[in-house]
Each structure stands twice: as C-alpha cells, then as structure tokens.
Amino acid sequence: MKCFLNLLRSRTRAFALAVFVLSLGSAISALGELPSWIRNIEASSALEVAFFRMMSLPGGAVLFRRPPRETRPALADLIKSQPRNADLYSLRALEDEQQLDFAAAESDWKSYVDNSSDKIGAQFALADFYHRRLRPADEIKTLSLIANAAPIAAERLTPPAQQRSWQAFERIFGVIQAQGLAKDDSIAQYRAQYRAWIARYPQEQSLYARFLQYPVAQKEYAAAGQLIADYRK
C-alpha cells in the first residue's frame, strides 16, 4: 500500500510538472509571437499590467496577453494621467486596429503625431496605417507633408537618398504606381510630386531621367516632352 501511494504521488508530481512545462512552453511560444511593441514593454510597469494578466498554473503564476477589449480601456486610463505621452496613443492605435476599430485607430494615430517629439517618424507611422487600410490618397497626403517639410538639421551631411524627405518621395511614387489610381489622377499626382521632388533636390540630375520613364510607359508623350524641356532649362 505504501509503495502504491508513493508511486501515485510520483506520478501526480510528474503530471503536474509536465503540465507546467507545457504551459510554460506555450507562454514562451506566445511571447515570441507577440508584436515587438509588446515584447519590449518594461517588466513590472503600468504598461505590463495593461497588456498582461497574471494567471495561476500548477507550477506557478504566468503572464498572459490581455485581449484588446481589455487593453484599450487600460490604456485610456493611462492616457488620462499622461495626456502628452505620445507612445500611449500609438500603443492604443495598434490595439484599436487589432479590434478592427479603424476610426478610433486613425484618431489615435493622429494624436500620436500631435504629441510626438519626432513628427516625421510619427507621420510615417500614420502613413503606414493608411497603407494597411488601402487608402492611397490619404497615404500620399501624409507622405507629402514629410516630403515637403523643412530640411532636418541632423540630416545636413546625410546623402540625399538616405534623407527622410527623399524616402517619403520614394514611397509616394511607389503608391502611385502600385495602387492603380485613375490615369488622370495618377498623371496629375505624378507631375505635382516630381516637381516638388526636383524643387527639393535641384542638384540631383538623375531625377529627370528617372521621372521620364513613367509618362513614357503611360504613353503621355506631352508630359514626357515637358519633362525634357524642364531638364534642358
């Protein structure tokens, strides 16, 4: 009888240990699948409480990811106490998207731009939101604000192609070509944007040859001729 009880206890402990290992493995696996903005949250912080719930398992307590329906109200409470904290708006915007509340997400992304110390980076994040929502006109409008913003002092010695204004222009033309805008709209956007790009980087003569490819591909020979005339000037 004693041997039987010892065997039963051993098997019970082994079973509990197996459950704990499996649970821990699942938790670690889930953590690895979490987005980077959640994985990098500081331990024992208010944000950790907002995003994670402590749950008891046979081997001990483990943190589990809260669903957006719980994180959004928690983040709203944090925003009330820290209304100028831009990161809180971006975190809630991402949770808004997870819950498919895109109107709230757009509002939070705009609040992120308003409160961020890095306006350019925040505007890129807003443009990324519009890109995910397949809203090319809004994406181009946001990217245009970046492209035409005043030169950044920290980029004074940065090669043009590595400057954020240049990268915004790159994205604009990528959107024009990829999103299948109406021909008249795309040509109008193309003309306006290439003139702005050249005005921003007048010494980059390679831009003229690059821009010539699009109107020729669209058989807009009048626009191509105008571009050649501009280059001659």
Side-chain angles (χ1 to χ4, degrees), residues 51-69:
F51 278 95
F52 293 94
R53 177 195 303 122
M54 190 71 72
M55 297 185 67
S56 298
L57 293 177
V62 177
L63 287 173
F64 279 86
R65 167 80 155 97
R66 292 181 185 272
R69 69 175 180 272

Side-chain angles (χ1 to χ4, degrees), residues 97 106-107 109-110 123-143 171 179:
E97 291 188 55
E106 181 176 12
S107 177
W109 282 122
K110 288 181 177 179
Q123 286 170 332
F124 268 123
L126 177 60
D128 290 341
F129 165 74
Y130 289 132
H131 185 80
R132 291 191 292 273
R133 298 303 308 141
L134 300 178
R135 293 168 57 177
D138 290 318
E139 183 181 359
I140 289 173
K141 181 179 178 180
T142 304
L143 291 170
R171 276 188 58 170
Q179 293 299 330

